[in-house]
Every structure is written in C-alpha cells, then in structure tokens.
Amino acid sequence: MKRSMPLLIGAVLAAPMPVVAEHPKQLSTITVEGQSERLGTIALQPDTGGALDMASLLQRLPGANVNRNGPLTGLAQYRGLFGNRVNVMTDGAQLHEVGPNSMDTQMSYIPKALADNVVLYRGIAPVSSGIETLGGTIVTEAKRGQFSEGGGVETHGFGTGGYSWVSDGWYGAGNISVANPNHRAYFSGSREDGHNYRFKGDKAVKPSLYERDTYSAGYGYQRNGHEFGINYDNRDTGHSGTPSLPMDIRYIRSDVASVNYDGDLGNGYGVEMRGFYQNARHIMDNFTSRPAPRPGGGAQRFRQIRTTVEGGGYKLAFTLPNFANGNLKIGVDGDLATHNAVVTDPVANLNFFIDNFNTVDSNRYAGFLEWNGSVAEKLSLELGVRYIRKRMDAGDIGTSMTAGHTPGMGPMTPQMGLAMQGIGSLVRRFNEADRSIDTNNVDGVFVTRYAVSNALDLELGFASKTRAPSYQERYLWIPLEATGGLADGRVYVGNINLESERSYDVEFGIDLHAGGGYFAPRAFFRYVDNYIQGLPSTDLATNAVATGMIQPGGPGALQFSNINAYLYGVDLEAGYVINDYFRLDGILNYVRGKRVGSVSDNLYRIAPLNARMGLTFEYSDFTLSTEWVGYMRQNDVSAFNGEKATPGYSLMNLRGQYQPGIQYLHGITLAFGINNVFDKEHAAHLNGINRAGGSDAPRGVKVPNPGRNFYLTASYQW
C-alpha cells in the first residue's frame, strides 16, 4: 500500500478534461454541444490526440472506463458495469453487435476521427435515454455537416490524418457538406491501418493489428422549426486482432440506414421520431492472424465462425410543456434483431459445424413517461417510469460432433467418447425445450436537485432499473466463449430460465463551482437482484463436453446464473483555473462490487481506485499539457472467473497543439504528443487475458498496454 499511494498522489497532471454541461466556460478546449436539460450531463468532444478509438475517451469521464479486448474492441464500463448493461446510443440508435463476443463493440461504430462528441448521463440515467439503462447511458454522435446560417449555399468540411509510432499506424478521415438554410447534403469517410503494437523492450502484442474503412452519406431538410434527415453508414473492418478472445476479426461489414424527424409544433410542444435498419456480416477465426492452437498436444484446431445480425429500431416521443408546472415527455420505442452464428473448420474438416446460435430473435417493445419541473423555489424534480417487454426465441440447433469422431480434435479417448454422448444430450435438451420467453419489466426514476446558492447544487436520486438476459446468456447451449466479451478464458453455457436483473440505486451528488474552480463528487450504492454471473456448472453432460472436447485440460464450465450483488463507490471531477494561462483538472474513480449470499466473492473485471489529473498551459495559438494517470493494485478479484490480481502503476503523457491564428492558415490544427513517456510496462486490470500464441506476451496473462508512443496529427476545417 505504501508503494501504491504515490501513484495516485502523483497522478496530478492531465490533458483537457470533461466539464459539467451547465458550466462550459471552465475549459475552453472542451466543447459542450448545446444546453442539456439535465444537470450533470457531461459532453466530451474528441481531440486530436493519439488514441485510436472512441472507447478510450471514456477514461476521461468520471465513473467511466473501458474493458479492452483489442485495438478496436473496447467495451464501455460505467461504475463497475459493462457490456449490454450499459446503454450506448449511436446517432440516436442502439445498434446491435454482430459478434457474439462483442468484437464490434457499440463504442466502435463511429471512428474517433469522425466523432462529433461523446455524452455521458452521469449517475442515474433518465428513462427517456434508452430502453434498458441499468448501467447508465452513453451517447456518441458523428459529424454530419450543418445547415447554412446565411442566405446562400455554403460548403463546409474537414480533413484529418495522423501517425502513431507504437503500432506504425496511420489514419485519414474527412467530411464535406453542401448546404443552404433549408437543405444539407454530406459525405464522410475514413481509413485506419496499423500493425501489432509494441511494449517495453520492443516486444509486440500479437495479434493487435487493425484496419477499418467507413463512409457515410446523408441528406437533411429543415424549415420553420421542422427538421428531417436520412442517413446511410457503411463500416468495413478488416483483419484486426483481439488477443484476449479465442479468435480474431477477419472482417465485419455493416450497413445502417436511418431516418430522423424533429418538429416544433408551437407553444413548446415538440415531436421526435427516429428509425433505423441494420444488416451486418462477420467472420472471425483462430488461424489467420495467430497460430491455431494444439489442444492436448494433438492436431491443430482450426476454427472459423460466421455470424450475421439483421435488425432495426424506432422511437416516437412527444413533449408537452406546462404540464403540472413542468415538461412531460411521452414516448414509445423498441428494437428487433435476429442473430445467427455457425462454427466451422474450413481447413482440416469441411464437414465440421456447430450451430452456435440459429435464428435467435431478441425484440424489445417499450414506452415511457418522464416529467421534469420545479416543485418549490430552488427545488426541481425528475420523475420517470418505463415499461419494457422483451420477446426472445431461438431455432433448433445441431452439430456434426454427434456423428462420431471429428478430425482435427486429436486422438479419440474415453473422455472424448463421453463428451460426444454429452453433446448429443445437449442438442436434444435444447431442441426439446420451450425457448420462447417473454419478460415484462418496469423501471422508475426519482431525482431531486436543490440549488443552495449560485455556486452550490445538491442532487439526490433513487431508481429501480432492469435488464433482461442477453441472447448469449439465455441461448448459449454448448460450453463456448461466446460471452459478449467477458474475456476471462473460461467456457460458458446459457440458461433459458434466467430471471431479469433488477437494481435498486441511490446516489448523492454535490456540484460546487466558484472562483474559477469546480468540484463535483458523486457517491452511489446499487443493490442488484438476480445479477447474472457465471457459476460452476453442475450438469454432467455440460462438464463432459467442456473438459473432454471444447477445452481439454482447462478449468470447468461456468453456467450463467442469477445471484444477488451490490456495488458502491464514488467518482468526482474537479479543476481550478489558476490564471489566464494555466488550469488544473482531474477525475478520481472508486467502485467495489460484491456478491451477496452464503458464498463471498467479488464481481468480475472492476477497475481499482484510479485518478487522472493534469496541468494545461494555453498561450496565443499554443496549448501544452502534461498528464499523470495512476491506478492502484487490484486485489478484489472474482474467484469464480479465475480472475488474477494486478499491480498498480502510474504513467505520464505529454501533448501539444498549435492552431495558427494567421488569416490564411485559419482552420489548421497541428498536434503532437508522447503517451507513456517513461515506457512503463503495465497491463490495465480491465484488459482481457491473452489467448493468442506466437506473441511476446505469454498466454494466460493480462494483455500488456502499449509502450512509449509518439504521435502526430494534422487537420483542416473550413
């Protein structure tokens, strides 16, 4: 402990940090998009730094973090919850991941170079922010161009590019729009490409290469308070590594078409409409970017999974002003998705297959009421209720492994013979089960705010939120690692009879802003009934398959089960404007998660106490900043997941930016920086366990973070 504390005390120098939306003048380099109706909403505009993806920006928001499984595969975490417990909205839609292991995480849908902003609803998310918001809501938005403010036709756009030394990676992106006051058309595109990144000693994490192409186009029309838009987005991810998962990305190809309408009906009445359609295809394998494993010393096990998702969603909401001294929002929303996944061996046995998921439907239908208003002088209130109906079903499954010995599995043993019998039992059991499941859940929110003075606001909130099981948690019939990105190296089996999670939340917050400084801590406690956690399987057939065929010699299978759990913690953001040139900013996060019951254990993959603070200098056209990041040792690990403790560490980063004010150079931004200045070898606790052979990082350890990285970026906006 004595060695770890200086890591946090020394973590005092950071790059520009997020700012509470109602006080945007505190940090000039952070742009808050519009005025939020809800105090405590935080908006962060992506900068020109060396980070590759959108998920990395979450580490600069209080309470947020990222579970890293690959360079493009970062899962959002908020206050200890991650995966589909966190509601991530992309341009108004909750898009569906085509990868059953979340290789295409929701934070990856917009390349950072094309992102306009990231918005976090801090604390208890309003019911209007999404369908299932148990773990909070994060909103990402892409650059779409803008309408002309003058009377004629205007052209706007930007171009940007950069190079990152640690992975020999580069990117290029741009956007152009043509508009007048009523019409707007835009086109944008990007390209990213990088090799395996290096860490201390010129060692490489293999595979951590990446490549991704995107393009978008759209049209918008506005007149007299009404705005309509139609957009198309195409994303094509090529060979990209996910070393903490059993396979890597061969490709992910996704098409999304969306429409939106916002109308001012007069006298404060408003209407909002959203709709989207998505179609995505995905292939992953364990032999293109890494050596195929040799289970039990036998023949190489070549595996490929082909997955698809087709779905869409909608939202219709009305705002009614002056309703009981406040504003009432009434809405309905929903989404539908059909998932398929088939495991094959395209190298050693063309007849091999496992129906991982076959025609799995996951459809949600919901409606909500939300009221915001003043109930007394200086006292405001937010009340919300949401009803959610989720309908799920799955088609029959099958596998070639019930027909006898399968080439590529190694020599037949008595244990494998029992595993074959077990697979037949699992297939029959699943196909004979009633797989059509309907769940009905109700969420409620109560948040009150009191303005003690012009410089001090207090907030107290209560909520009850729900989440129905994911399709992986319910329908994973054979022990595999298709777990939504858990990345713990364990095999799991689903549970058709899982109950929905229900959390009971309480939060207290302070927002102090005076004299050039701000201090905004939040303390929270969350109790979760029926928390979904993997527990050791007691099913003989499942265990025979897991140890005899799927994971020979490995730890036993876990089955998704309902337990009770609680989480508590505190997160804060603070800063102070020293003078016209210098300012200090920072965040601090702490969360603890525990299982409740006769067996004591910690919840899996929760970040230790950490801080990020810094000093920024601004003069004329130049901005320089230095950042220290500190993480304590994490000893509170999950025994059921076989999670290992990780040591603490501290890092230093340096950044610089130049925006020339010269007339003919206006719009140019040049940036440079050094991340991990002292080339510290470290692995974040939220990184997954390395599964890939042929890497300089051994199997079974946390995937190391990148070493020292020099980067350069340049952009031009007009």
Side-chain angles (χ1 to χ4, degrees), residues 100-343:
N101 240 328
S102 297
M103 288 180 171
D104 57 327
T105 68
Q106 293 173 329
M107 290 300 299
S108 71
Y109 293 155
I110 301 176
K112 180 170 164 288
L114 294 177
D116 195 36
N117 60 72
V118 182
V119 177
L120 167 69
Y121 288 91
R122 192 175 181 194
I124 297 171
V127 295
S128 61
S129 67
I131 297 178
E132 291 179 302
T133 59
L134 185 147
T137 292
I138 298 169
V139 177
T140 63
E141 296 181 341
K143 297 180 185 293
R144 300 290 195 189
Q146 60 194 40
F147 290 98
S148 169
E149 296 181 357
V153 176
E154 295 181 359
T155 300
H156 296 278
F158 79 94
T160 181
Y163 174 78
S164 180
W165 177 86
V166 77
S167 63
D168 292 323
W170 64 272
Y171 75 88
N175 170 282
I176 185 169
S177 64
V178 180
N180 65 19
N182 303 117
H183 302 271
R184 168 181 58 86
Y186 75 90
F187 176 85
S188 60
S190 68
R191 168 71 178 174
E192 299 158 292
D193 197 315
H195 302 283
N196 297 319
Y197 70 76
R198 298 180 289 275
F199 61 105
K200 191 176 180 64
D202 203 32
K203 294 175 287 187
V205 172
K206 304 173 185 177
S208 57
L209 72 170
Y210 61 90
E211 58 176 309
R212 179 171 57 181
D213 299 282
T214 71
Y215 66 85
S216 304
Y219 166 78
Y221 174 80
Q222 71 169 7
R223 183 181 293 273
N224 299 328
H226 300 266
E227 181 177 339
F228 167 82
I230 182 169
N231 305 285
Y232 170 74
D233 298 279
N234 177 277
R235 300 171 181 86
D236 187 351
T237 302
H239 293 294
S240 299
T242 53
S244 56
L245 299 176
M247 298 185 184
D248 303 300
I249 299 169
R250 279 257 298 277
Y251 70 73
I252 301 173
R253 295 166 184 162
S254 175
D255 300 281
V256 178
S258 62
V259 295
N260 63 275
Y261 166 70
D262 294 279
D264 181 355
L265 305 181
N267 299 319
Y269 290 86
V271 61
E272 173 189 357
M273 297 177 64
R274 298 287 185 272
F276 76 93
Y277 168 79
Q278 177 188 12
N279 185 286
R281 294 81 62 202
H282 175 30
I283 287 183
M284 64 191 106
D285 67 39
N286 69 348
F287 55 85
T288 299
S289 299
R290 70 175 75 180
R294 291 180 178 270
Q300 287 183 301
R301 181 182 295 183
F302 298 93
R303 290 293 180 265
Q304 174 181 285
I305 301 182
R306 183 185 300 270
T307 70
T308 64
V309 65
E310 183 175 18
Y314 60 89
K315 179 178 181 179
L316 173 63
F318 295 91
T319 300
L320 285 63
N322 305 318
F323 187 94
N325 296 321
N327 293 324
L328 178 66
K329 180 176 285 190
I330 305 173
V332 294
D333 49 10
D335 53 33
L336 303 89
T338 299
H339 301 268
N340 291 280
V342 179
V343 185

Side-chain angles (χ1 to χ4, degrees), residues 9 42 55 58 60 87 98-99 135 147 187 197 240 244 316 328 331 341 389 445 458 478 508 524 547 560 577 609:
I9 297 173
I42 297 173
L58 297 178
R60 295 169 59 185
N87 175 50
V98 66
F147 290 98
F187 176 85
Y197 70 76
S240 299
S244 56
L316 173 63
L328 178 66
R389 180 176 180 83
V445 167
L458 303 179
I478 186 172
F508 176 71
F524 64 92
T547 58
F560 288 115
V577 178
L609 177 66

